[in-house]
Amino acid sequence: MEKKDYYDTLGVSKTATVKEIKKAYRELVKTYHPDKNKEEGAEGKFKQIQEAYEILSDEQKRKAYDQFGHAGTQGFGGFGQGGTSYYTQDFGDLGDIFEQFFGNFGANTDFGSSPFSRARSRTSKTRGNDIEANIRLEFLEAVFGVEKVINYRRKIKCNDCNATGAKNGISKRACPQCQGSGVVRQIQNTFIGRIQTQSVCPSCKGNGEIIDEKCPTCNANGYNEKVDEFKIKIPEGIPDQVTLRFQQKGDAGANGGEYGDLYVRIEVKPHDELERRGNDIYTEKTIDVVTATLGGELKINTVHGEVTMKIPQGTQPGKIFKLSNKGAPRFKQGGNADQYVKINIEIPTRLNSEQTKIWEQLREL
Ligand SMILES: [Zn+2]
Ligand SMILES: [Zn+2]
C-alpha cells in the first residue's frame, strides 16, 4: 500500500512548527478516534494520523523523513502494527500529556546484549527493564482525576553496597587477569600466521572488577527485588487508553545501572448514561410527546450531579440542547466543557379509549 505523505495526513505545511503539528494532531484525533468514529476507514485513518504524528513531532525522525521520505523512518521501530498509542507524563509534573509520544516499548532495554559490547562498555552499566502496569478507572475518576496506589514487584538498588554488589561498597578491585579491561587476548601461531583472538575475561565475566567479599544483602546483585508501593496522581480529564510513563520507576539495572521506566496504561470504564468526547459529555433522553409539544422540565445527570433542564414548547425529535459548563473539567485550561443532551420523543403505541378520544379531538382542531 502506498504510504501517504505525513504532512498531508496531518494537513500541515512542510514548514509547520511543532506547535502547529500538535494542534492539527489533536483536532484529527478528536474526529477519528475509533472509540468515537465507527465509520468505515476511520480506524485506518486514525493509525495513519498517529504514525504521522509520531514521526513529525520528533525532531530527529522528522529530519530523517524530510531527507529520505518514508524510507528514512524505517529504523525507528515505527508505529502502526500494534496500534497502541503511548503518551507520556513525568511524575510530579502534570504537564502536557501530549508532549511526548512513544511508538515502541522499551527501546533502550537490550543494551549491551553481546558479551563484547558489554566488555567494552563495562563502565556504562546496563539499564534496568521497563515495567508495565494497568489501572482501570471509574468514569468519574477519570473526569475529575484521582490518586491511585499501585503495588508492584521491582528491583531496587541495594543501599547497603551502594548498588556495587561488594560488601559495604568498598571491597572491589581491578581484575588481575584482564587488568580491568574485561577482555583477554590470546595470540596463536597458525599456518597462515599469528592470529590474535579476544574473548570475555573468565575471571570477572567482562566486568573488569573482582568482588572479594559479596554484599550479603543483595548477594552481589547490586539490587534487591521487592514489592514497591507507588502513588500515582492521575490528572483530571485523562483520556481512555493512554499510557503514562514514570521515569526511573522500573527495575534497577545490573552493575548499578540506571532504573528503567514504569508504564501505566489507563483504562476508563464506560458510564451507563454519559459518554465523554474530549471533555464534552454526551447523553440522550427520551421524553413523551406531550412534554415535547407543551414543554416542561427534565432531570439530567451530569458529572457534577443532577440538574433540571427546561424543555421548550414544540421540541422536535433529535434536537440537541447544550448545558454550558456542565461537561468535564478542561484539562489544563480551567473551567468545564459542556454537556450535550439529545432528545428522543416517544410516540404512544397503544391508546385507551379516553386517550383516543382526546387525540381525536386534537385532530378536529
Ligand atoms: Zn577480568
Ligand atoms: Zn548489596
Side-chain angles (χ1 to χ4, degrees), residues 39-211:
E39 268 171 53
E40 212 184 299
E43 198 183 343
K45 177 91 180 162
F46 183 68
K47 278 184 185 162
Q48 284 174 15
I49 292 161
Q50 286 184 303
E51 189 184 333
Y53 181 72
E54 197 218 348
I55 299 301
L56 297 186
S57 62
D58 183 296
E59 197 187 298
Q60 230 187 327
K61 295 178 187 178
R62 183 178 177 181
K63 226 179 252 173
Y65 176 69
D66 286 345
Q67 220 171 340
F68 305 110
H70 288 290
T73 63
Q74 295 306 311
F76 288 115
F79 218 90
Q81 277 154 19
T84 317
S85 51
Y86 297 104
Y87 305 88
T88 72
Q89 177 212 359
D90 292 329
F91 179 59
D93 169 28
L94 300 185
D96 190 336
I97 56 166
F98 291 90
E99 205 64 57
Q100 288 169 292
F101 193 93
F102 274 68
N104 66 344
F105 225 73
N108 325 321
T109 48
D110 66 54
F111 164 75
S113 50
S114 103
F116 269 130
S117 65
R118 247 183 82 202
R120 274 197 299 271
S121 59
R122 72 186 164 76
T123 45
S124 51
K125 303 141 180 169
T126 315
R127 182 180 176 273
N129 288 324
D130 293 330
I131 296 176
E132 292 174 55
N134 291 298
I135 292 184
R136 197 145 188 244
L137 298 179
E138 295 296 335
F139 185 82
L140 290 181
E141 287 179 334
V143 167
F144 291 108
V146 66
E147 257 186 29
K148 289 275 170 188
V149 176
I150 61 166
N151 293 286
Y152 65 111
R153 275 197 96 74
R154 69 166 180 142
K155 294 169 179 167
I156 293 177
K157 286 182 186 178
C158 179
N159 277 331
D160 292 349
C161 62
N162 204 16
T164 59
K167 191 177 183 183
N168 301 323
I170 44 171
S171 59
K172 239 178 180 184
R173 59 190 167 95
C175 171
Q177 190 177 349
C178 63
Q179 277 89 46
S181 69
V183 290
V184 286
R185 290 177 186 82
Q186 279 178 314
I187 293 169
Q188 286 175 299
N189 289 310
T190 71
F191 66 94
I192 52 162
R194 279 154 67 90
I195 293 180
Q196 183 181 276
T197 56
Q198 194 173 260
S199 56
V200 175
C201 172
S203 296
C204 64
K205 297 184 178 60
N207 288 324
E209 287 171 320
I210 294 273
I211 295 173

Side-chain angles (χ1 to χ4, degrees), residues 158-166 215-224:
C158 179
N159 277 331
D160 292 349
C161 62
N162 204 16
T164 59
C215 169
T217 314
C218 63
N219 194 28
N221 285 323
Y223 53 75
N224 298 298

